[in-house]
Amino acid sequence: MLEMFARFEKNTDFFAGYEVPGFGRHSLDVERLRESPVRITVAVGAESAGEPPHRAGLALAERLGKPAETYPGDHGGFGAEAPAFAARLAETFSS
């Protein structure tokens, strides 16, 4: 258990110190996304409502003028809710 928490602490330090700052500095070119011929589907996790990843997804969907698709789990539902997430993904892309 102590080894697991030591790894978790190192990963958290890396994530918060290296990855998170880049999220805040990045700005999407929403106009280019709107003009893209590629289908863009914005997804949010059902269990992460109100959290930053969920709010960011809703804001992007709104800026793109389309609804956000809700998927099982939190912002990483593909891990914790893999079977339900896969079913929802198949449903989304079959239409």
Side-chain angles (χ1 to χ4, degrees), residues 42-44 48-70:
V42 179
V44 296
S48 64
E51 295 177 12
H54 192 274
R55 293 193 324 257
L58 293 178
L60 176 59
E62 183 178 331
R63 291 183 68 193
L64 291 174
K66 51 178 53 190
E69 298 289 335
T70 302

Side-chain angles (χ1 to χ4, degrees), residues 8-23 53 75:
F8 180 78
E9 184 176 7
K10 287 180 184 176
N11 289 338
T12 300
D13 289 345
F14 177 80
F15 181 70
Y18 178 75
E19 291 189 4
V20 171
F23 300 155
H75 67 278

